[in-house]
Amino acid sequence: MTDAVAIVGGRVLTGLGDEFEGGAVLVSEGRIEAVGAHVDIPEGARVIDAAGCWVLPGLIDPHSHIGAHEEANGPAGFDGSEVSSPVTAGVRAIDAINIEDLAFRDALAGGITSVVVKPGSGNPIGGQSVAIKTGGGRSVDEQVIVPSLGMKSALGENPKQAYGERKQLPSTRLGIALVIRQALFDARDYAERRDRAREEGAPFAVDLGKEALAAALDGTLSWEQHAHRHDDIATALRIAEEFDLRLVLNHGTEAHKLAAVLAERDVPVIYGPILSSRSKVEVREADPANLARLAAAGVRVALTTDHPVVPIGLLALQASVAVRAGLPRDTAIAAMTSAAASIAGIDDRVGALEPGRDGDVVVWTGDPLDVASTVREVLIEGRTVYAAPTGAGHEETA
């Protein structure tokens, strides 16, 4: 008796650039054991015939609000931004996620098995993101990849609007940068006093917000910077250099204007969403070709739906649009798999069909960049969590 499952006979794309026509993926005990054109299948393994299909790693959306901005639940389901204060570094996105959000079903139907859920962009410093699987658990805690992954920060129009309407700091770009810098200076001072108290065995009052910011200062948490306009991106680079932050740009509408600088400093960009309208001034130059320009300059890129801005199940469609605008198809596949995992810091677990990584595998009816292709079956850690029957409709299997 074995718990192994083998997906055989399909066109296997590993997410790392390798392809095997008529290949196989073997998953055992929830992890990938073997991938290639010739894989020995153990006796008793469950076999999934993928002949005529494409087999890929589970896709990753590294910037979403799934479960925190719930589908079809109105204001009762909006828990993404704690805008009662400009700095809410202590809040954690995991505490806002409703695992029964309908969007998780849509994610699986779109081949997405991992997401990074982030606080919203109403605050200069919004709180901590979480990486989770999109299915397979009885609660969100059973789907966690990393409970606190990064620190969300926002520049530009959103925090300006949120606090400008109240006529309080920060109401301008100057004020936003001030709030961020002051919070980081305060956290640095806090960490020094905390460490000194520990050395001396003295009592010390814990501040959860400053603890989280201290983790960003020491590089434990990435600095996830919401920024669209080139001047905001320049500010993000400036602050990251001042405090030695591990910067990841989110959205990056005008990041192509600083592509050479981003490439030199190895600052990755989680780009998008691509399918949304130019709904505000700072995205007036939105163009999927900008993503191709970033990649051509050597910037590491991933794709985001920013769900619910764009429905999460349309991640692969966004990749198709990016390819039409000039992004190489291998780069587009990586932007939803291996590169997305690397940028998010979860590539030890997900993002590629490679021995040792989680057995998150998606069987597509055809090329996932072809809009006519659909997801036939999704496995998370070797267990089928979604299956679409032949014909219209679909059903989930727990």
Side-chain angles (χ1 to χ4, degrees), residues 164-181:
E165 290 176 350
R166 306 177 194 180
K167 301 188 184 305
Q168 71 174 79
L169 182 73
S171 298
T172 62
R173 283 180 163 83
L174 296 81
I176 295 167
L178 169 63
V179 166
I180 293 171
R181 281 194 178 93

Side-chain angles (χ1 to χ4, degrees), residues 75-102:
F78 294 169
D79 290 305
S81 291
E82 178 55 60
V83 290
S84 56
S85 171
V87 177
T88 55
V91 305
R92 305 191 308 161
I94 190 174
D95 296 322
I97 295 172
N98 177 3
I99 207 66
E100 294 187 355
D101 181 359
L102 298 174

